[in-house]
Amino acid sequence: TMGLLVITDAILNRVTENWKHGRRTHVYLDEFHVVYDNPYSSMFFNSAWRRFRKRNAFPTGITQNVEYLLDNSAARSILSNSEFVVMHNQAASDREKLAELFNISEDQMKYITNAEAGHGLMKIGNALVPFVNRFSRNTELYRRMTTKPRGMGVWGKNIKMAWLSTHIGICKVNI
């Protein structure tokens, strides 16, 4: 918990510094559900999330454990107020909670039920948009986008990005 709070505070300081210099910041939090493991980090991060947005930053939470977010009222509030959410294949219990939160119809549910990789449903504002993304595995684009270790090839060689490993759009749902 203490480490997570220190890291989040450092990120908030960087966001504030960038904001003062007129720069936009993108903040990616992998394993986003970990933030809500205890009440102290949950309260601190909810406050930080609001400050990120007020300082021209774009926070993105990424998790495969949507259940933890949906069962936490603070995290659920962040999800329900998010303008952009990407949902891939979801467990049955998660689908029910997401359907209630985002008013997903039965027809739309098929896009997150036993969905293939690259298929899902996006929430953009009040709209729900299904998507199907298929990429040939023998391309540079696939090697750069895949999260499968065997397919990564050049991943990391030419990309300079700092990752917090503490994994919102949540991927399962990306916020």
Side-chain angles (χ1 to χ4, degrees), residues 12-23 25 55:
L12 184 56
N13 290 337
R14 176 55 61 101
V15 165
T16 301
E17 188 66 26
N18 286 347
W19 175 64
K20 287 178 181 177
H21 289 94
R23 292 186 294 243
T25 308
R55 289 176 172 88

Side-chain angles (χ1 to χ4, degrees), residues 2 11 17 41 69 73-74 78 81 87 121 145 157 162 167:
M2 184 57 72
I11 294 169
E17 188 66 26
S41 63
L69 296 177
S73 62
I78 284 177
N81 289 311
M87 296 167 275
L121 191 62
M145 291 188 327
K157 288 183 183 176
H167 240 279

Side-chain angles (χ1 to χ4, degrees), residues 100-145:
E100 178 188 326
L101 184 66
F102 297 134
N103 198 25
I104 302 172
S105 72
E106 281 190 41
D107 279 346
Q108 294 165 325
M109 291 293 281
K110 67 184 176 187
Y111 294 101
I112 57 174
T113 303
N114 299 318
E116 296 178 37
H119 297 211
L121 191 62
M122 292 184 288
K123 174 193 171 286
I124 306 168
N126 291 325
L128 291 165
V129 181
F131 65 90
V132 174
N133 288 320
R134 291 190 180 101
F135 291 92
S136 171
R137 294 179 183 206
N138 296 325
T139 65
E140 182 73 14
L141 183 58
Y142 177 83
R143 285 188 293 277
R144 289 186 182 269
M145 291 188 327

